[in-house]
């Protein structure tokens, strides 16, 4: 089974930027959805961005739309999340996931069966 490894987390001041990367151990395919989720302490895991297909059908949660950009390099089996204008409420563990959700479930955990270990993002005031 493919494994996912996230990298790029860290601490940044509010208003700053970070780029997260997720590398898959094998080919994920254009029909495989890949997504970013995040989980803050005491909160449920939230789907924030999803990508499928070529050149890439993407969707975003309202909480990150306009600030975050998901992109995918099929040749390198990588998924990237460019995060701009970061806010303290973006502080969370960020997870990469792969799966085949239906269209209504692209930002729902239930649609994904492969998960990375997560990377911590902390945004300070």
């Amino acid at each position: 089974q493919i494994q996912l490894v996230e990298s790029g987390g860290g601490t940044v001041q509010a208003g700053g930027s970070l780029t997260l990367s997720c590398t898959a151990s094998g080919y994920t395919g254009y029909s495989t959805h890949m997504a970013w989720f995040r989980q803050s302490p005491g909160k449920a895991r939230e789907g924030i961005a999803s990508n499928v297909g070529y050149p890439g059908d993407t969707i975003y949660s309202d909480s990150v739309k306009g600030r975050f950009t998901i992109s995918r390099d099929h040749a390198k089996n990588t998924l990237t999340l460019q995060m701009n204008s970061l806010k303290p409420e973006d502080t969370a563990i960020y997870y990469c996931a792969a799966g085949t959700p239906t269209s209504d479930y692209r930002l729902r955990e239930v649609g994904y069966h492969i998960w990375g270990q997560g990377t911590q993002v902390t945004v300070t005031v």
Side-chain angles (χ1 to χ4, degrees):
Q1 177 167 295
I2 290 173
Q3 294 182 327
L4 304 175
V5 178
E6 302 97 335
S7 62
T11 300
V12 64
Q13 286 189 325
S17 299
L18 273 178
T19 301
L20 304 183
S21 295
C22 171
T23 301
S25 61
Y27 180 65
T28 52
Y30 292 112
S31 62
T32 298
H33 295 248
M34 293 194 73
W36 288 99
F37 288 74
R38 67 185 183 185
Q39 188 167 21
S40 304
K43 295 186 177 180
R45 193 172 296 187
E46 173 192 19
I48 58 173
S50 175
N51 173 280
V52 66
Y54 182 84
D57 175 17
T58 60
I59 62 170
Y60 299 91
S61 66
D62 289 343
S63 60
V64 307
K65 194 177 298 182
R67 299 188 298 123
F68 291 9
T69 302
I70 187 173
S71 61
R72 191 166 169 185
D73 187 330
H74 289 273
K76 297 181 179 179
N77 296 319
T78 58
L79 183 74
T80 300
L81 186 69
Q82 175 65 43
M83 305 185 294
N84 298 325
S85 303
L86 283 161
K87 306 174 182 179
E89 50 264 44
D90 293 318
T91 295
I93 299 175
Y94 283 70
Y95 298 91
C96 172
T100 53
T102 60
S103 57
D104 291 344
Y105 287 82
R106 290 182 62 185
L107 293 180
R108 301 279 298 276
E109 286 185 79
V110 67
Y112 296 86
H113 59 280
I114 302 175
W115 293 83
Q117 82 290 349
T119 185
Q120 176 71 46
V121 172
T122 302
V123 184
T124 61
V125 296

